[in-house]
């Protein structure tokens, strides 16, 4: 069962209107606590990273919190707003802060085969499965999904209660924590791949589009970690013998 935006939570909608006028800079637990006041007892916060990369997996991070959640880690922000060293320092704090956490992945080959939206759902389903293995009661939880589209439910065998929220990674502390954990996890993978597939600069670009990355593809050809369907320039698609 998916809830588009925050329909069904009128008090939250009014609070959101006030929030938009205030444009908060730092994430808080205001939205999560509003859900608790509406009867929610457990929250799974969801965010994705690597969606727009040319190479590497797409990752979906999740954290679980409940009504006993405590003060958020100092300095927590959406991972996109943080320098890499700050994300690295926040990662263990976010993991300790959450009751459970997980990162699900879908590979570049799966992105080529299935498309990015189905792979977001696939990665999210894998993250949920990890949470269940940890003992999290995910089916009794409400999921806060960053964005305005529920990509998760089409990939699940059992419907989940999903609340989509634009800029949740900016405004909701739980989603910001999920974004940090997912970003650090994926970045470390790409840094490790930099030695396995040298020359693409993944330690710095993490698989995203940069002039240096495109120049490397032109010189070396795509690697096994590139999303071939995303390399639209015909000259870049031929893999050298």
């Amino acid at each position: 069962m998916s809830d588009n935006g925050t329909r069904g939570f009128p008090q939250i909608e009014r609070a959101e209107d006030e929030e938009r006028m205030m444009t908060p800079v730092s994430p808080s637990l205001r939205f999560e606590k509003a859900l608790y006041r509406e009867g929610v007892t457990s929250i799974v916060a969801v965010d994705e990273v690597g969606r727009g990369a040319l190479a590497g997996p797409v990752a979906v991070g999740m954290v679980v919190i409940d009504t006993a959640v405590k003060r958020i880690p100092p300095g927590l922000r959406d991972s996109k707003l943080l320098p890499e060293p700050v994300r690295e320092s926040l990662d263990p704090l976010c993991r300790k802060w959450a009751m459970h956490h997980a990162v699900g992945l879908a590979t570049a080959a799966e992105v080529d085969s299935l498309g990015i939206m189905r792979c977001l759902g696939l990665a999210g389903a894998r993250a949920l499965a990890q949470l269940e293995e940890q003992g999290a009661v995910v089916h009794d939880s409400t999921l806060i999904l960053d964005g305005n589209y529920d990509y998760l439910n089409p990939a699940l065998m059992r419907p989940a209660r999903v609340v989509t929220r634009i800029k949740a990674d900016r405004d909701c502390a739980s989603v910001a924590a999920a974004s940090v954990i997912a970003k650090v996890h994926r970045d470390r993978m790409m840094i490790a791949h930099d030695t396995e597939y040298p020359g693409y600069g993944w330690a710095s670009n993490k698989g995203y589009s940069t002039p240096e990355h495109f120049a490397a593809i032109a010189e070396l050809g795509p690697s096994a970690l590139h999303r071939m369907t995303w390399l639209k320039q015909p000259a870049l698609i031929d893999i050298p013998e």
Side-chain angles (χ1 to χ4, degrees):
M1 177 171 56
S2 176
D3 193 356
N4 183 19
T6 53
R7 289 183 305 191
F9 296 100
Q11 295 179 9
I12 299 174
E13 291 174 0
R14 290 193 294 271
E16 282 186 350
D17 291 338
E18 296 174 0
E19 270 193 323
R20 292 190 186 101
M21 295 176 64
M22 295 172 62
T23 315
V25 175
S26 302
S28 71
L29 289 167
R30 292 171 60 189
F31 185 71
E32 292 90 332
K33 289 181 178 179
L35 288 174
Y36 294 147
R37 289 194 294 271
E38 296 291 337
V40 172
T41 58
S42 177
I43 288 172
V44 178
V46 185
D47 196 25
E48 51 80 16
V49 298
R51 178 174 179 171
L54 293 175
V58 64
V60 174
M62 296 186 179
V63 301
V64 180
I65 61 173
D66 65 8
T67 55
V69 64
K70 298 180 180 179
R71 184 176 301 178
I72 67 176
L76 179 62
R77 301 284 188 282
D78 170 14
S79 63
K80 295 187 294 294
L81 305 178
L82 296 170
E84 186 171 351
V86 177
R87 290 195 301 265
E88 285 283 346
S89 64
L90 275 170
D91 177 67
L93 301 180
C94 291
R95 292 170 183 268
K96 183 177 180 180
W97 177 71
M99 296 175 62
H100 304 278
H101 56 80
V103 179
L105 303 171
T107 67
E110 288 173 326
V111 172
D112 283 338
S113 175
L114 302 174
I116 189 61
M117 296 311 295
R118 285 183 65 187
C119 280
L120 286 172
L122 181 61
R126 288 168 176 168
L128 277 175
Q130 292 176 40
L131 293 178
E132 287 187 306
E133 290 174 359
Q134 296 171 27
V137 188
V138 297
H139 292 301
D140 292 333
S141 300
T142 291
L143 281 65
I144 304 176
L145 182 64
D146 180 55
N148 61 0
Y149 175 71
D150 175 13
Y151 57 75
L152 189 55
N153 264 302
L156 300 179
M157 297 294 293
R158 178 178 175 180
R161 168 65 174 213
V162 172
V163 177
T164 59
R165 179 179 170 87
I166 297 173
K167 299 296 184 183
D169 51 1
R170 181 196 66 184
D171 297 336
C172 301
S174 60
V175 181
S179 77
V180 168
I181 292 172
K183 176 67 173 167
V184 170
H185 183 92
R186 185 184 183 278
D187 282 359
R188 289 174 179 172
M189 290 184 64
M190 296 308 294
I191 291 170
H193 285 313
D194 198 42
T195 57
E196 184 181 2
Y197 300 96
Y200 297 98
W202 289 334
S204 58
N205 64 47
K206 310 303 190 295
Y208 287 94
S209 303
T210 66
E212 294 77 14
H213 191 179
F214 277 116
I217 297 171
E219 178 182 355
L220 303 172
S223 74
L225 293 181
H226 279 95
R227 303 174 187 176
M228 298 299 294
T229 55
W230 292 45
L231 301 179
K232 299 180 192 256
Q233 296 90 333
L236 299 182
I237 297 179
D238 295 329
I239 302 177
E241 296 291 338

